[in-house]
Amino acid sequence: MTASSPPAIAIDLSAAIVAVAGQTPQVLTARSAGGIAALPAGVFDPETHRTFEIGLRSWVRDQTGLGLGYVEQLYTFGDRGRLAAPTQGAANAEHAPVTRHHVSVGYLGLTRVPPGADTGTAALLKPWYGFFPWEDWRLGRPSIIDSLILPHLTLWAADAEGEKSDLWRRVPPRRTRLIQCFGGDGAPWDEEKALERYELLYEAGLVAEARRDGHQALVSAEAACGEPMLFDHRRILATALGRLRAKLKYRPVIFELMPETFTLTALQTTVEAILGHHLHKQNFRRQVEGGALVEATGQLTRTSGRPAALFRFRREVVAERPTPGLRVGAKG
Amino acid sequence: MTASSPPAIAIDLSAAIVAVAGQTPQVLTARSAGGIAALPAGVFDPETHRTFEIGLRSWVRDQTGLGLGYVEQLYTFGDRGRLAAPTQGAANAEHAPVTRHHVSVGYLGLTRVPPGADTGTAALLKPWYGFFPWEDWRLGRPSIIDSLILPHLTLWAADAEGEKSDLWRRVPPRRTRLIQCFGGDGAPWDEEKALERYELLYEAGLVAEARRDGHQALVSAEAACGEPMLFDHRRILATALGRLRAKLKYRPVIFELMPETFTLTALQTTVEAILGHHLHKQNFRRQVEGGALVEATGQLTRTSGRPAALFRFRREVVAERPTPGLRVGAKG
DNA sequence: GTAATAGTGTCTTTCAGACAGTATGAC
DNA sequence: GTCATACTGTCTGAAAGACACTATTAC
């Protein structure tokens, strides 16, 4: 780590751009050369754009015609392993000149316009639970957990051989990590630990990216958990999922995904889509209205049942309270 | 942002390494060539270290003899402005070859050994409130807020000329930002907004770094707020301060700063040193003990008053509850 | 005894969680 | 009327916030 000859490094910006259509959270993807799903990504050029965020915004606007609203930096992944041994799919020369080390800065973007047609590139929206089937508990406990994940992870945790190589890092033993990520033994399911769960599945060889990167795989490519993505894009998407689920609770980011006016039921449905589980209806309404997060517009919708009142976000809350969010806890 | 010729970029790793000595939070600094305070920083070399964190740890260990405990990535700053126009101090050729664009990845480190003597480099601990005198409310409202900050910021907020250039970004008007950062008009002081406050002072030209970077300065260098640092190091330190204050409340990170055993008073004093304000004693004790965060060792200290019971951290809590932290709210 | 620090008992208010119930539309 | 969806009233128990009080040492 001396500065005598600093190596040349390229910085990839990758964006997980999220929208919710009805009950389905979606992420904006671009098909890569190998046909594998990929996040919109590009190489940062400081000569063209002063900051990461400026570059990201103008470039997403140019390529997808989509004006980004809320944007937040997630994490910067510097692992060399990210590009190691791409045995299947996508030796995408545009994104991965192997002669230069790549570092990727992940971003979360929220948008309220679900764009149907793509302008420019082959951009399309895909349901994000296709990449993380174990994260959606709205129809009950996902079957993949008991049929595939827990059987393999239990074996993996019982294998003490792999433990030793973990000691030089500050990670807890496999069994503890398994319980903290997937619950059981008194520990609850924590919807915010989406990244930790993905990384555990990666280490255990249960996702296709592990095999691609040259690690030992526990299951065949067909049986692997969830749809794979290019490079470390699924890790970035898992980071986005966890961050968004956490941030909902103390910042009013959910309204970046809503139209200007909306019903309380639509708001709750959107929150449930993100969190991956259902909420107690009365408590949700009390928190939203009692917390002064919204105000009624006076208008009503016509649906098949009783008309619902329309609300809009009260932007003033951010000035009134330190952490205005949806303190959702009770499941329903 | 095309990939035809990705520019060569160097990645600086900068670490805000925090320890608490008694009632004083300290940060590990290194004197730079210009005599200005600097965070330990180095250039990332992927040939030598597989990940950012591995590099950071080995290099801090080599240079300071300090074994890092808790380490967390804070943020990646890609602004070109970071190295712009260094008119005073530290044209530090080792860290800033101006021919190459530098991006800096900021890290937060926590350590429980306050190292007295330095090994290797000129490393030393400095009280962090010297860099942020407006953040310490333990002796009441800091006088610098009313004597210097608010008078200038009020004028700055009333200047509508500067507003227009802000419109293309998604930032609220100056007056709103002022209130959200420094309170007033019904809005409370939020200790977690340390970064937002520093950036507001930077934009308004109230910190020395703004003048150094070529921006208009509202006050003279002598009257500027707090001690300046090299490059964007004070911005990284402000990020660390805000993140640590927030994280305390939902993760048991405070114990990374404590010795193996400690009294509840010592624990409270450490928390107060980080948060910058006093806490209600009884509620604090109830939370710590009721939350099962600690367990008594059975031993006692001898002090000038009644002996205090010694406690240790219960590591098991992280497996028992999703977000074990110190939900401190009431001030005392 | 005093000074100094450690620790407890209990009251009130707030709010999350959950129960059951009523209201207003389409048909 | 039925069905479907929107909305309200109220109980309960767990904590947060704040009050005053007692305990054990050094001197």
Side-chain angles (χ1 to χ4, degrees):
Chain A
M1 185 132 332
T2 62
S4 56
S5 172
I9 293 179
I11 295 188
D12 287 354
L13 297 177
S14 308
I17 299 165
V18 174
V20 176
Q23 308 193 332
T24 312
Q26 319 249 24
V27 61
L28 192 66
T29 63
R31 288 235 166 258
S32 72
I36 196 169
L39 295 179
V43 177
F44 175 61
D45 180 359
E47 300 301 320
T48 313
H49 297 107
R50 226 182 68 244
T51 69
F52 291 155
E53 202 178 305
I54 291 172
L56 194 76
R57 281 181 190 280
S58 78
W59 156 75
V60 169
R61 188 170 51 241
D62 292 349
Q63 293 195 10
T64 69
L66 182 65
L68 276 185
Y70 180 89
V71 167
E72 170 184 344
Q73 189 188 105
L74 289 171
Y75 200 82
T76 302
F77 296 100
D79 303 35
R80 179 185 288 169
R82 152 165 207 269
L83 298 179
T87 54
Q88 78 173 32
N92 189 327
E94 178 180 332
H95 288 141
V98 283
T99 52
R100 178 169 289 176
H101 186 84
H102 277 237
V103 157
S104 78
V105 184
Y107 272 81
L108 165 65
L110 303 180
T111 182
R112 64 173 60 83
V113 271
D118 334 317
T119 48
T121 56
L124 68 164
L125 290 171
K126 294 194 72 170
W128 79 10
Y129 288 123
F131 303 104
F132 308 105
W134 57 89
E135 294 286 350
D136 188 2
W137 288 59
R138 286 175 296 172
L139 299 178
R141 183 179 174 90
S143 59
I144 194 175
I145 294 182
D146 294 311
S147 68
L148 186 65
I149 294 178
L150 284 188
H152 282 102
L153 283 186
T154 307
L155 288 175
W156 174 81
D159 173 21
E161 284 306 300
E163 298 275 6
K164 294 196 181 63
S165 64
D166 283 345
L167 282 179
W168 64 278
R169 286 193 292 156
R170 287 166 50 90
V171 287
R174 289 178 169 183
R175 165 122 192 94
T176 305
R177 293 175 65 201
L178 171 55
I179 289 172
Q180 285 175 19
C181 284
F182 287 92
D185 202 22
W189 176 270
D190 181 2
E191 74 254 1
E192 297 180 18
K193 293 199 168 76
L195 175 63
E196 289 85 341
R197 278 187 285 269
Y198 174 74
E199 293 193 330
L200 200 66
L201 293 175
Y202 181 96
E203 277 187 58
L206 284 170
V207 294
E209 287 92 335
R211 175 189 297 265
R212 178 204 65 191
D213 294 347
H215 299 105
Q216 191 178 14
L218 274 186
V219 294
S220 69
E222 298 74 39
C225 301
E227 184 183 341
M229 295 186 94
L230 190 67
F231 300 150
D232 60 349
H233 289 189
R234 194 146 60 131
R235 181 161 57 155
I236 292 171
L237 188 56
T239 312
L241 177 50
R243 181 77 65 90
L244 184 52
R245 284 176 168 180
K247 200 136 193 173
L248 269 189
K249 291 159 191 166
Y250 59 93
R251 283 291 130 88
V253 286
I254 190 68
F255 301 104
E256 304 284 343
L257 296 169
M258 305 298 298
E260 191 59 28
T261 65
F262 47 82
T263 66
L264 292 186
T265 302
L267 183 66
Q268 181 174 350
T269 303
T270 306
V271 173
E272 289 172 341
I274 302 286
L275 290 181
H277 62 76
H278 289 293
L279 295 171
H280 194 110
K281 184 173 172 180
Q282 293 85 340
N283 291 339
F284 180 82
R285 300 176 92 94
R286 177 169 51 192
Q287 282 196 335
V288 171
E289 295 193 84
L293 283 167
V294 298
E295 62 191 355
T297 65
Q299 295 180 303
L300 297 178
T301 50
R302 312 139 287 163
T303 54
S304 60
R306 172 175 168 175
L310 281 170
F311 291 82
R312 77 168 67 87
F313 174 46
R314 278 188 68 244
R315 300 197 178 277
E316 309 91 278
V317 283
V318 295
E320 293 166 0
R321 278 183 294 137
T323 57
L326 295 163
R327 291 195 164 48
V328 287
K331 314 201 173 179
Chain B
M1 185 133 331
T2 62
S4 56
S5 171
I9 294 178
I11 294 187
D12 287 354
L13 298 177
S14 309
I17 299 165
V18 174
V20 176
Q23 309 194 332
T24 313
Q26 319 250 21
V27 60
L28 191 67
T29 63
R31 288 236 165 256
S32 71
I36 196 170
L39 295 180
V43 177
F44 174 61
D45 180 359
E47 299 302 319
T48 313
H49 297 108
R50 226 182 68 241
T51 69
F52 290 156
E53 202 179 305
I54 292 172
L56 194 75
R57 281 181 190 279
S58 79
W59 154 75
V60 168
R61 188 171 50 242
D62 291 350
Q63 292 194 10
T64 70
L66 182 63
L68 276 185
Y70 180 89
V71 166
E72 169 184 345
Q73 189 187 106
L74 290 170
Y75 201 82
T76 301
F77 296 101
D79 303 34
R80 180 185 287 169
R82 154 168 207 266
L83 297 180
T87 54
Q88 77 172 33
N92 190 327
E94 177 180 333
H95 289 142
V98 285
T99 52
R100 177 169 288 175
H101 186 84
H102 277 237
V103 157
S104 76
V105 183
Y107 273 81
L108 165 65
L110 303 180
T111 182
R112 64 173 58 84
V113 270
D118 334 317
T119 47
T121 56
L124 68 164
L125 289 171
K126 294 195 71 168
W128 79 11
Y129 288 123
F131 303 104
F132 308 104
W134 57 88
E135 295 287 348
D136 188 3
W137 288 59
R138 286 175 296 173
L139 299 177
R141 183 180 173 88
S143 59
I144 193 176
I145 293 182
D146 294 311
S147 68
L148 185 65
I149 293 177
L150 283 187
H152 282 102
L153 282 186
T154 307
L155 288 174
W156 174 81
D159 173 20
E161 284 306 301
E163 298 276 6
K164 293 195 182 62
S165 63
D166 283 347
L167 281 180
W168 64 278
R169 285 192 295 154
R170 288 167 49 91
V171 287
R174 287 178 170 184
R175 165 122 193 93
T176 305
R177 292 176 66 202
L178 170 55
I179 289 173
Q180 285 176 19
C181 284
F182 288 92
D185 202 23
W189 176 271
D190 181 2
E191 76 254 0
E192 296 180 17
K193 293 198 168 76
L195 175 63
E196 290 85 341
R197 279 188 284 271
Y198 174 74
E199 292 192 331
L200 199 66
L201 293 174
Y202 180 96
E203 277 188 57
L206 284 171
V207 294
E209 287 92 334
R211 175 189 298 264
R212 177 203 67 190
D213 294 347
H215 300 104
Q216 192 178 12
L218 275 185
V219 294
S220 68
E222 297 75 38
C225 301
E227 185 183 341
M229 295 186 93
L230 189 68
F231 301 149
D232 60 349
H233 289 189
R234 193 146 58 132
R235 182 162 56 155
I236 293 171
L237 188 55
T239 311
L241 178 49
R243 182 77 65 90
L244 184 52
R245 283 176 168 179
K247 200 134 194 175
L248 268 190
K249 292 159 191 165
Y250 59 92
R251 284 291 130 90
V253 285
I254 190 68
F255 301 104
E256 303 284 343
L257 297 167
M258 304 298 298
E260 191 58 29
T261 65
F262 47 82
T263 67
L264 291 186
T265 302
L267 183 65
Q268 180 174 352
T269 303
T270 306
V271 173
E272 288 172 341
I274 302 286
L275 290 180
H277 62 77
H278 288 293
L279 295 171
H280 194 107
K281 180 176 169 180
Q282 293 84 343
N283 291 340
F284 180 84
R285 301 175 91 93
R286 178 169 50 191
Q287 283 196 335
V288 171
E289 294 193 86
L293 284 166
V294 298
E295 61 190 357
T297 66
Q299 294 180 304
L300 297 178
T301 51
R302 313 138 287 163
T303 54
S304 62
R306 171 175 168 175
L310 281 170
F311 291 82
R312 78 168 67 87
F313 173 46
R314 279 188 67 244
R315 300 197 179 276
E316 307 91 278
V317 282
V318 296
E320 293 165 1
R321 279 183 293 139
T323 57
L326 295 162
R327 292 197 162 49
V328 287
K331 313 200 175 180

